[in-house]
Amino acid sequence: MAAPLRIQSDWAQALRKDEGEAWLSCHPPGKPTLYGSLTCQGIGQDGIPEVTASEGFIVNEINKKSIHISCPKENASSKFLAPYTTFSRIHSKSITCLDISSGGGLGVSSSTDGSMKIWQASNGELRRVLEGHVFDVNCCRFFPSGLVVLSGGMDAQLKIWSAEDASCVVTFKGHKGGILDTAIVDRGRNVVSGSRDGTVRLWDCGRSACLGVIADCGSSINGVAVGAADNSINLGSPEQTPSEREVGTESKMLLLAREDKKLQCLGLQSRQPVFLFVGSDAFNCCTFLSGFLLLAGTQDGNIYQLDVRSPRAPVQVIHRSGAPVLSLLNFRDGFIASQGDGSCFIVQQDLDYLIELTGADCDPVFKVATWEKQIYTCCRDGLVRRYQLSDL
């Protein structure tokens, strides 16, 4: 990875006025940081500012919501994208999780104010309040239908809600510690939960019953992901015949991001180990990029890309800063990552630069969700930000 470029979080507002300024910096690993600035020389007839950069930096392109900067000396280049709109009225405190429905119409989010809410994705207008968890809600996501929400909380309960009338349809009990992440299998007849109690459980939504403890790790499970396995991967065979209530678990891999610095992969149906990888620090999050490629992020800022077919050595390790990697999301032919220092960026194979989603001023960005050309982030500052990729 090239040296990370940083920009003032509210650069788009700052450069909208004559002689407005915004700071810039480039952080080459193991070398002194290079500092610079951008200055607005006036606003063009199209409403786009004319901006010049200080020595060592170049403005390649600018429009109303994005600016492409490079630092030739360090061969670094980033396109910074400002939020298209910001929703400040959904929650009053830090927002820990969010998701967007499959049709793009609704958002759901949970906050340290103890609330979970459903809102209009276009304007942030509140639609429903989902009440029933005791203590904080750690994770929330829509089922593929977009009509139902799955949530997990510090009360060790997993709940399923109707997005239409906010009723809690099912409550799953069985975990002994807070639920930290969930995954939905196929269309959602089964779901998976990972908990502070060190176990991962598979649940049958129709009968609101636990189908089994898939793994007991003895260490907090911070993130879970389910993915379809490439044919070349041996997932092992189940020791006993799976319940007929298990739907869509065959040929699926289960990935566990663990607090004890281990990344574990199992056959979801077989419960058999595929690999165990030891990282540099606690794993916070994980996702599949394909039937054999995966990503996982650690507390000390590493993003590991692994190939399930040869998991001993990473394909690559991306390290942009020492801030915790808080979320990873498969996106187009690359991924989106967010970190504890407020950085949130898109890596795409066909681009020789990063796209940085700006706006969070050193506040952790906890989660990212996408719908078509829109990206939503939630942050410790209590804001949901929506970005339009068409603004690039």
Side-chain angles (χ1 to χ4, degrees):
M1 291 291 279
L5 288 168
R6 302 255 188 269
I7 197 169
Q8 186 171 315
S9 62
D10 61 349
W11 64 270
Q13 286 93 331
L15 297 176
R16 244 190 221 128
K17 40 191 183 286
D18 253 344
E19 295 179 17
E21 275 201 342
W23 60 262
L24 268 178
S25 60
C26 179
H27 302 253
K31 292 199 226 163
T33 298
L34 306 169
Y35 294 98
S37 62
L38 299 168
T39 309
C40 174
Q41 309 290 350
I43 309 288
Q45 288 181 327
D46 50 8
I48 294 170
E50 289 165 23
V51 173
T52 53
S54 58
E55 193 184 344
F57 295 92
I58 294 171
V59 178
N60 303 314
E61 188 193 353
I62 183 167
N63 65 32
K64 284 183 182 171
K65 292 283 184 187
S66 74
I67 186 166
H68 186 184
I69 308 276
S70 50
C71 173
K73 185 182 167 205
E74 294 300 334
N75 195 22
S77 180
S78 285
K79 194 173 250 198
F80 297 96
L81 182 62
Y84 179 78
T85 179
T86 300
F87 305 144
S88 55
R89 295 199 183 144
I90 301 172
H91 294 282
S92 57
K93 286 188 182 167
S94 173
I95 305 173
T96 51
C97 191
L98 95 167
D99 193 24
I100 302 296
S101 66
S102 51
L106 294 175
V108 62
S109 53
S110 58
S111 163
T112 54
D113 62 15
S115 72
M116 181 167 44
K117 296 178 178 178
I118 290 178
W119 35 274
Q120 202 74 33
S122 56
N123 57 14
E125 197 176 300
L126 190 63
R127 294 288 296 276
R128 306 269 181 274
V129 180
L130 306 178
E131 291 177 301
H133 277 288
V134 190
F135 314 126
D136 283 8
V137 181
N138 293 326
C139 45
C140 54
R141 64 171 72 233
F142 281 99
F143 277 78
S145 66
L147 305 171
V148 188
V149 169
L150 176 68
S151 66
M154 287 310 281
D155 55 8
Q157 297 184 49
L158 196 64
K159 288 180 178 284
I160 295 178
W161 311 78
S162 160
E164 291 166 303
D165 65 6
S167 61
C168 176
V169 203
V170 174
T171 299
F172 298 117
K173 292 180 181 175
H175 281 295
K176 306 277 188 294
I179 293 166
L180 300 178
D181 199 13
T182 61
I184 291 171
V185 183
D186 276 1
R187 301 191 63 75
R189 305 252 309 259
N190 294 163
V191 298
V192 174
S193 58
S195 162
R196 274 196 167 166
D197 66 14
T199 68
V200 181
R201 290 173 180 260
L202 181 69
W203 306 87
D204 172 6
C205 297
R207 288 194 183 156
S208 54
C210 179
L211 289 169
V213 175
I214 304 227
D216 190 346
C217 305
S219 171
S220 203
I221 312 284
N222 296 325
V224 298
V226 170
D230 186 78
N231 295 336
S232 60
I233 294 160
N234 178 11
L235 297 179
S237 305
E239 284 169 10
Q240 52 219 82
T241 311
S243 154
E244 76 277 0
R245 303 293 301 174
E246 273 194 39
V247 183
T249 55
E250 68 282 351
S251 72
K252 296 283 194 308
M253 295 179 283
L254 175 65
L255 195 57
L256 310 178
R258 295 168 33 169
E259 184 68 26
D260 60 2
K261 304 187 182 179
K262 290 174 182 160
L263 182 70
Q264 183 177 1
C265 184
L266 305 143
L268 180 55
Q269 189 182 73
S270 70
R271 325 281 204 255
Q272 300 297 322
V274 176
F275 73 79
L276 189 67
F277 176 84
V278 181
S280 55
D281 203 348
F283 279 99
N284 292 330
C285 52
C286 54
T287 190
F288 286 100
L289 292 176
S290 72
F292 52 86
L293 282 178
L294 59 91
L295 288 178
T298 59
Q299 186 65 15
D300 60 359
N302 283 329
I303 297 173
Y304 290 90
Q305 185 179 356
L306 295 176
D307 187 325
V308 182
R309 299 166 303 185
S310 54
R312 281 200 175 144
V315 178
Q316 62 171 341
V317 181
I318 295 167
H319 186 90
R320 305 239 316 146
S321 78
V325 180
L326 299 176
S327 78
L328 290 165
L329 183 65
N330 183 356
F331 183 71
R332 297 188 177 170
D333 61 352
F335 64 90
I336 307 176
S338 73
Q339 289 186 264
D341 57 2
S343 66
C344 184
F345 56 92
I346 308 173
V347 177
Q348 278 185 273
Q349 283 173 351
D350 58 345
L351 298 179
D352 54 2
Y353 56 84
L354 284 179
I355 297 171
E356 305 260 0
L357 305 177
T358 61
D361 189 4
C362 301
D363 273 306
V365 176
F366 290 113
K367 199 82 177 175
V368 181
T370 60
W371 184 74
E372 292 188 346
K373 288 191 170 177
Q374 298 175 36
I375 299 175
Y376 295 78
T377 64
C378 66
C379 183
R380 188 174 68 186
D381 60 15
L383 301 177
V384 170
R385 294 179 173 86
R386 180 173 132 219
Y387 302 84
Q388 299 268 98
L389 288 182
S390 46
D391 285 339
L392 289 169

